């Protein structure tokens, strides 16, 4: 009986653990006798030629304060330095597939490029995978719920992309069985939340994501270049990002010169606590002023203090995930918000347009700061962008009855 | 050997009421927005028409101070009654699963909102503060019904253990439900779950005050019978106390008090546990005719003091009130308990 039970347990374990990963992208052998005119975006070189520059397309990180890259003929070194902890520096030696690895560097992880496939254990770069045209290389995401990017959604619906969890809840066994060339994992200030130590130990090649610690929208969007260097797609992604950054900076230069800079509220109260944000660069770039300047980090402030300083703001840019979409709902949740001018004038906005109108063309907020900025400028200085159609922001539905300065009179 | 002397109610209760009144008035004059106290004085005397200061006083500070008084009294009395009914110094509303029931009620409402749409229940929907408060009260009520049903069949000690296990199970169900919904709904739950006295509106305060008032009256009416329970259930029966009826009435009072406090202020910690011990230790009595009003006053004063301490912290950052209830209450109760223990053993 014991033997049978043991056999059954073994069979069960094997069956449960038997995840069949998607077959890797076909590997072509590439003969390269002369220096290539562009990066090799697939395949492996047959014969390595020392001294040859295998990466004629290069990139640099202009906005990110956490990512840098060096090119060395047949390998490149990507360095990620999470902003809150600069001593924890991650070096990734990205070696041209088929070329020998350079001499070992301490604490460096070696990854062959172009990678054939990858997994994302956090949502941060989902939009980057979509916009850079790499959804067909994606084999796993943190969760399949709520993914709207069409290419990735198609992969999920077809069963090519599966969920492996996020943070410390990453399903390590499933990730190993899928066998992606690279797993991009979330870097947390709390090491117990990190998945990369366990995955590294299991022999999975990881790259940490820290775009959430960037302080500007362009720096966040620039993380699309991290995907580019892993897939040797520098040329195409450089052009894509440069277009976005160029449009952003051009519009920002005009908006910043506007004589009137409206004052802006942001976020939502959590009961009587209202979280103020660190300096919001995008609001200044859009020709507005955040009502609570000078903060270095997000922190909770009593709603009374917020009312004192922010009740006369010109507009309220919520910028927060919430199912609340109307002024009536806002007041049902917190009647004292009627004291705030933007609530009375109907100038309350949030980036929930795509959720409210799913038929609109898909854009990712993190990867399209130019569109986010154009939306904000349209709210604050509509004359500057008369032809722009909102991509993300939507005005809260107006109240069904006019709002008195306070919807509930004190006794 | 020193002899413990019981405090006299005619001195203790007016003194506590004066202390509470002072804390209440102080709370009106301290706040995070640095409004000049002279402006507030003028507003209170009706001679100032500056709408800014009047709004801050009447829309923020006054309702917050009243909510702290109601929640503090309610939690302290519910803790006192539970400790007596269960003969257990660690008993409290959380031990019966009432708090977990309230949290589960809110989680169910929010998950329903994510499935059926936010407006499926109109004004009692998941984005409405009234809806969330109602769901919390309903969740606590269901948890209490289960506790009452169980109380008929098991001893007080077993009921307490069952309550703890029940609360853990409800926590698990709540965590599972919240895991199922999107991040915006999860944040909606977290927004409610953040304990504090500042999120209560005037309309809700009326409901809160009525429910807490009924709960306090019930506790006062039970005071003599609760004294009977102190000497054990057998003895209580021998002197004519209907143990089952008293236990059920105390549970009902606890539901009204702790359920409403949790619904309107979130899960405020420590007051329910600490105040009863503090009152017994300081006033040297186990007589509920003194302990019930004293605990109500001390609980209210403790909640107000914690709220004032939070506001007086340097900088604008708002500390969670639970940090202060534990920081202020812990050492005081520890001192009272150790002092009482030394008196008994010396």
């Amino acid at each position: 009986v014991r033997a049978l039970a043991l056999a059954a347990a073994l069979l069960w374990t094997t069956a449960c653990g038997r995840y069949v990963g998607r077959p890797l992208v076909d590997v072509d052998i590439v003969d390269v006798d002369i220096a290539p005119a562009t990066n090799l975006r697939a395949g492996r070189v047959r014969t390595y030629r020392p001294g040859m520059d295998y990466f004629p397309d290069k990139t640099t990180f202009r906005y990110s304060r956490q990512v840098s890259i060096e090119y060395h003929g047949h390998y490149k070194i990507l360095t990620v330095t999470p902003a809150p902890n600069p001593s924890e520096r991650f070096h990734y030696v990205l070696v041209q597939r088929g070329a020998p690895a350079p001499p070992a560097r301490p604490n460096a992880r070696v990854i062959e490029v172009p990678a054939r496939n990858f997994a994302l254990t956090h949502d941060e770069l989902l939009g980057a995978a979509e916009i850079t045209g790499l959804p067909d290389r994606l084999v796993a995401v943190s969760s399949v719920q709520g993914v709207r990017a069409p290419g990735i959604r198609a992969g999920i619906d077809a069963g090519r992309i599966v969920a492996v969890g996020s943070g410390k809840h990453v399903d390590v066994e499933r990730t190993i069985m899928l066998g992606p060339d690279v797993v991009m994992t979330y870097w947390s200030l709390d090491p117990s939340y990190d998945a990369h130590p366990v995955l590294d130990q299991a022999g999975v090649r990881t790259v940490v994501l820290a775009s959430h610690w960037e302080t500007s929208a362009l720096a966040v969007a620039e993380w699309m270049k991290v995907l580019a260097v892993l897939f040797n797609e520098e040329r195409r992604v450089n052009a894509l990002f440069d277009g976005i950054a160029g449009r952003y900076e051009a519009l920002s230069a005009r908006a910043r010169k506007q004589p009137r800079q409206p004052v802006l509220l942001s976020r939502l109260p959590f009961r009587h606590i209202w979280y103020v944000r660190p300096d919001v660069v995008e609001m200044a770039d859009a020709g507005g002023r955040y009502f609570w300047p000078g903060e270095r980090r997000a922190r909770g402030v009593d709603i009374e203090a917020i009312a004192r300083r922010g009740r006369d703001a010109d507009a309220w840019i919520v910028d927060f995930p919430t199912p609340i979409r109307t002024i009536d709902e806002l007041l049902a949740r917190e009647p004292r918000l009627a004291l705030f001018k933007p609530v009375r004038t109907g100038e309350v906005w949030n980036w929930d347009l795509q959720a409210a109108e799913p038929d609109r063309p898909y854009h990712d907020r993190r990867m399209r700061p130019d569109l986010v900025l154009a939306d904000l400028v349209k709210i604050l200085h509509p004359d500057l962008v008369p032809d722009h159609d909102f991509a993300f922001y939507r005005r809260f539905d107006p109240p069904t009855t006019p709002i008195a300065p306070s919807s509930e009179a004190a006794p | 050997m020193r002899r413990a002397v019981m405090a006299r109610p005619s001195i203790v209760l007016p003194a506590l009421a004066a202390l509470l009144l002072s804390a209440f008035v102080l709370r009106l004059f301290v706040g995070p927005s640095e409004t000049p106290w002279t402006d507030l004085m003028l507003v209170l005397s009706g001679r100032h028409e500056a709408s800014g200061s009047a709004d801050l006083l009447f829309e923020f500070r006054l309702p917050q101070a009243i909510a702290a008084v109601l929640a503090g009294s309610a939690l302290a009395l519910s803790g006192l009654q539970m400790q007596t009914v269960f003969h257990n110094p660690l008993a409290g509303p959380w031990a019966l699963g009432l708090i977990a029931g309230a949290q589960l009620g809110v989680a169910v409402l929010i998950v329903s909102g994510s499935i059926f749409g936010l407006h499926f229940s109109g004004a009692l929907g998941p984005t409405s503060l009234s809806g969330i408060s109602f769901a919390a009260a309903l969740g606590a009520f269901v948890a209490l019904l289960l506790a009452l049903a169980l109380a008929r069949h098991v001893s007080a000690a077993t009921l307490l253990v069952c309550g703890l296990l029940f609360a853990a199970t409800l926590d698990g169900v709540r965590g599972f439900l919240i895991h199922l919904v999107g991040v915006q709904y999860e944040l909606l739950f977290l927004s409610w779950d953040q304990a504090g006295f500042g999120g209560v509106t005037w309309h809700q305060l009326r409901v809160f005050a009525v429910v807490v008032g009924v709960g306090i009256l019930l506790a006062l009416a039970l005071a003599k019978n609760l004294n009977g329970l102190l000497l054990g259930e057998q003895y209580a029966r021998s002197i004519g106390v209907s143990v089952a009826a008293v236990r059920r009435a105390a549970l009902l009072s606890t539901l009204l008090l702790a359920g409403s406090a949790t619904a309107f202020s979130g899960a405020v910690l420590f007051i329910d546990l600490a105040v009863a011990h503090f009152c017994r230790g300081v006033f040297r009595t186990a007589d509920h005719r003194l302990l019930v009003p004293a605990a109500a006053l001390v609980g209210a004063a403790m909640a107000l003091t914690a709220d004032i301490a939070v506001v007086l912290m340097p900088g604008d950052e708002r500390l969670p009130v639970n940090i202060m209830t534990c920081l202020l209450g812990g050492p005081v109760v520890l001192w009272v308990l150790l002092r009482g223990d030394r008196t008994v053993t010396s």
Side-chain angles (χ1 to χ4, degrees):
Chain A
V1 172
R2 279 184 187 170
L4 274 173
L6 186 64
L10 277 171
L11 271 173
W12 176 252
T13 312
T14 312
C16 288
R18 203 164 153 245
Y19 298 109
V20 180
R22 182 175 160 239
L24 295 178
V25 174
D26 289 336
V27 175
D28 298 322
I29 305 298
V30 181
D31 275 319
V32 183
D33 292 325
I34 57 169
T38 186
N39 292 358
L40 302 172
R41 291 183 291 156
R44 149 190 306 275
V45 294
R46 183 192 300 275
T47 310
Y48 166 64
R49 300 188 186 283
M52 183 181 287
D53 184 4
Y54 285 87
F55 305 114
D57 303 328
K58 297 178 174 57
T59 194
T60 54
F61 288 84
R62 283 185 288 151
Y63 300 94
S64 172
R65 55 184 187 140
Q66 303 181 109
V67 191
S68 62
I69 190 157
E70 302 165 21
Y71 287 86
H72 299 274
H74 68 288
Y75 68 95
K76 41 192 173 183
I77 299 175
L78 178 73
T79 302
V80 178
T81 311
N85 186 10
S87 63
E88 191 179 5
R89 187 165 288 189
F90 297 87
H91 298 290
Y92 304 100
V93 179
L94 310 179
V95 184
Q96 171 60 47
R97 198 169 281 280
R105 294 167 60 103
N107 301 321
R109 296 150 174 83
V110 177
I111 299 171
E112 285 195 317
V113 292
R116 293 164 296 184
N117 57 13
F118 71 120
L120 283 170
T121 65
H122 199 267
D123 296 347
E124 302 237 340
L125 289 194
L126 274 183
E130 182 77 23
I131 199 171
T132 53
L134 294 168
D136 60 331
R137 305 288 187 96
L138 193 58
V139 294
V141 292
S142 58
S143 166
V144 295
Q145 284 181 355
V147 175
R148 289 195 60 242
I152 299 173
R153 186 75 251 167
I156 291 169
D157 294 342
R160 285 186 288 106
I161 299 173
V162 297
V164 290
S166 64
K168 65 181 174 185
H169 302 299
V170 167
D171 186 337
V172 175
E173 182 185 340
R174 190 170 214 195
T175 307
I176 292 170
M177 298 305 269
L178 284 167
D181 279 352
V182 186
V183 179
M184 307 197 73
T185 66
Y186 184 82
W187 183 88
S188 170
L189 197 54
D190 172 9
S192 69
Y193 191 78
D194 288 336
H196 63 267
V198 180
L199 290 169
D200 284 343
Q201 204 169 8
V204 178
R205 289 171 179 82
T206 61
V207 171
V208 294
L209 289 175
S211 57
H212 48 286
W213 290 106
E214 299 290 357
T215 52
S216 76
L218 281 175
V220 172
E222 199 170 28
W223 276 73
M224 70 172 72
K225 293 182 181 174
V226 173
L227 286 186
V229 298
L230 289 169
F231 288 91
N232 282 355
E233 292 276 11
E234 282 95 331
R235 176 177 291 185
R236 196 162 55 80
V237 175
N238 278 347
L240 180 67
F241 180 77
D242 288 347
I244 291 169
R247 286 188 293 276
Y248 184 100
E249 289 184 337
L251 182 56
S252 165
R254 293 167 60 207
R256 278 180 175 270
K257 286 180 191 160
Q258 292 302 299
R260 198 181 76 84
Q261 305 274 312
V263 176
L264 303 173
L265 273 176
S266 192
R267 297 288 192 253
L268 277 173
F270 268 44
R271 203 181 276 271
H272 60 297
I273 308 289
W274 196 312
Y275 285 86
V276 295
R277 307 169 65 173
D279 273 341
V280 189
V281 179
E282 294 72 43
M283 289 187 182
D285 286 343
R289 283 183 293 135
Y290 184 47
F291 83 108
W292 195 286
E295 288 296 335
R296 290 188 171 184
R297 62 184 177 88
R299 60 196 187 90
V301 174
D302 195 289
I303 190 172
E304 182 189 324
I306 300 288
R308 181 88 176 168
R309 283 173 69 169
R311 60 193 296 171
D312 295 323
D314 297 296
W316 183 356
I317 309 296
V318 175
D319 277 4
F320 197 72
T322 174
I324 296 173
R325 288 182 186 158
T326 70
I327 302 264
D328 285 338
E329 288 170 354
L330 207 56
L331 291 173
R333 179 187 155 103
E334 175 52 271
R336 292 174 296 189
L337 293 176
L339 293 171
F340 291 75
K341 184 177 143 196
V343 175
R344 297 197 301 276
T345 56
E347 288 297 324
V348 185
W349 300 77
N350 200 10
W351 33 239
D352 57 9
L353 183 61
Q354 302 219 343
E357 298 176 19
D359 294 336
R360 283 182 165 266
Y362 168 80
H363 294 293
D364 182 83
R365 216 168 8 92
R366 294 189 185 97
M367 293 301 125
R368 291 304 303 270
D370 56 333
L371 290 179
V372 173
L373 186 76
D375 276 11
L376 287 173
V377 172
K378 178 96 176 175
I379 295 168
L380 305 180
H381 307 287
D383 296 343
L384 286 182
V385 281
D387 299 327
H388 174 71
D389 281 332
F390 283 106
F392 302 108
Y393 282 91
R394 193 188 64 86
R395 192 198 297 263
F396 273 39
D397 296 345
T400 46
T401 53
I403 303 170
S406 174
S407 64
E408 282 195 328
Chain B
M1 178 180 166
R2 279 189 296 166
R3 199 174 149 213
V5 179
M6 179 186 154
R8 292 169 61 186
S10 58
I11 299 172
V12 168
L13 295 180
L16 286 176
L19 179 75
L20 175 60
L21 187 64
S22 311
F24 189 87
V25 173
L26 180 62
R27 179 61 187 90
L28 297 184
F29 284 90
V30 296
S33 67
E34 296 169 4
T35 307
W37 67 271
T38 46
D39 280 8
L40 295 172
M41 286 291 288
L42 290 171
V43 169
L44 283 173
S45 63
R47 283 181 290 161
H48 197 306
E49 295 301 319
S51 63
S53 300
D55 282 344
L56 291 181
L57 187 64
F58 291 122
E59 296 289 343
F60 295 98
R61 293 191 190 178
L62 189 56
Q64 185 159 341
I66 295 172
V69 168
L70 293 173
S73 301
L75 290 169
L77 277 183
S78 56
L80 173 68
Q81 292 182 91
M82 289 299 94
Q83 287 169 21
T84 304
V85 166
F86 293 111
H87 300 289
N88 189 313
L90 295 176
W94 53 269
L96 283 178
L98 295 192
I99 308 293
Q103 289 172 324
L104 181 59
V106 175
V108 167
L109 179 72
I110 286 173
V111 171
S112 308
S114 78
I115 295 170
F116 301 113
L118 292 178
H119 305 289
F120 74 100
S121 54
L124 294 181
T127 56
S128 145
L129 207 53
S130 304
I132 283 184
S133 302
F134 178 72
L138 192 64
F141 180 65
V142 171
L144 179 89
L145 285 183
L146 291 170
L148 282 173
L150 200 60
R152 293 182 179 181
H153 306 291
V154 299
S155 68
T158 308
L159 181 58
L160 193 63
V161 174
C162 291
L164 289 169
L165 294 173
F166 179 55
T169 309
L170 292 186
D171 276 345
V173 175
R174 187 246 304 164
F176 177 73
L177 288 177
I178 292 297
H179 175 74
L180 293 179
V181 297
V183 65
Q184 69 270 43
Y185 289 93
E186 187 176 350
L187 289 168
L188 208 59
F189 176 80
L190 293 176
S191 170
W192 170 81
D193 202 34
Q194 185 152 356
F197 310 115
V200 189
T201 65
W202 280 109
H203 177 68
Q204 291 179 327
L205 272 180
R206 292 176 196 125
V207 179
F208 196 5
V210 169
V211 176
V212 170
V214 173
I216 290 176
L217 287 176
L218 194 52
L220 284 168
L222 285 172
K224 195 174 166 188
N225 288 325
L226 288 172
N227 283 345
L229 285 186
L230 286 175
L231 297 171
E233 294 182 3
Q234 296 288 348
Y235 179 81
R237 283 194 190 94
S238 73
I239 60 169
V241 174
S242 170
V243 172
V246 171
R247 198 197 286 179
R248 278 199 294 272
L251 287 174
L252 181 62
S253 169
T254 298
L255 166 75
L256 295 172
L257 295 166
S260 59
T262 308
F264 293 116
S265 303
V268 178
L269 301 176
F270 207 69
I271 293 177
D272 58 334
L273 176 71
V275 171
H277 292 294
F278 177 85
C279 291
R280 285 192 208 99
V282 169
F283 306 132
R284 307 292 174 90
T285 182
D287 185 349
H288 285 76
R289 288 170 301 178
L290 172 62
L291 284 180
V292 168
L297 293 168
V298 172
M302 184 175 171
L304 268 176
T305 309
D307 202 38
I308 290 168
V310 165
V311 170
L312 289 179
M313 290 298 287
D316 292 312
E317 187 151 15
R318 177 83 190 203
L319 276 179
V321 76
N322 278 335
I323 291 178
M324 277 302 160
T325 55
C326 295
L327 265 179
L328 291 173
V332 173
V333 175
L334 203 59
W335 172 72
V336 170
L337 285 176
L338 293 175
R339 181 169 153 263
D341 210 36
R342 271 209 309 274
T343 309
V344 170
T345 53
S346 61

